[in-house]
Amino acid sequence: MASSAPIFYAAVVGYLNLLILILSLVVQAVALIHCLTQRGDGFQAIGTLPKGAWAAILAICIVLTLLISGAIGIFSLIGIAAALIYLLDVRPGLKDLSDGKGFW
């Protein structure tokens, strides 16, 4: 019984790392796809980085997460942070701009 616990632990950690990696890549891909489908002048209108800069940041983070970092490496965490900043800050601004309701 005691010899099976480390094997079970390793399997659970492996599955959790895979799940975290998949969720991280999905969030980063959603942010990148949304960025690429928006108009470039909207980014300047809301006072953020240009569209090309956001696209480059998000694309580089996805590549570094896939090639170097893995599930919980430093580049994966930076990629999640960049994607969440885009999704929670820039995306609502672009949505308000395109709806015509303004920022208030």
Side-chain angles (χ1 to χ4, degrees):
M1 184 76 171
S3 65
S4 65
I7 296 171
F8 178 72
Y9 170 78
V12 170
V13 168
Y15 287 129
L16 286 177
N17 281 339
L18 181 63
L19 179 68
I20 292 170
L21 178 65
I22 291 170
L23 289 175
S24 168
L25 290 173
V26 166
V27 168
Q28 292 179 35
V30 166
L32 180 63
I33 290 169
H34 185 271
C35 178
L36 294 175
T37 58
Q38 299 301 308
R39 292 177 42 190
D41 56 349
F43 290 86
Q44 293 174 352
I46 63 171
T48 184
L49 293 173
K51 177 181 178 176
W54 274 113
I57 290 168
L58 294 170
I60 288 171
C61 287
I62 288 176
V63 170
L64 290 177
T65 299
L66 282 173
L67 294 180
I68 296 174
S69 181
I72 52 173
I74 188 71
F75 292 117
S76 177
L77 297 176
I78 292 171
I80 292 171
L84 289 177
I85 288 170
Y86 178 83
L87 290 173
L88 297 175
D89 184 36
V90 178
R91 183 175 173 261
L94 292 172
K95 183 180 178 193
D96 287 342
L97 189 66
S98 67
D99 287 344
K101 296 178 183 174
F103 294 107
W104 299 97

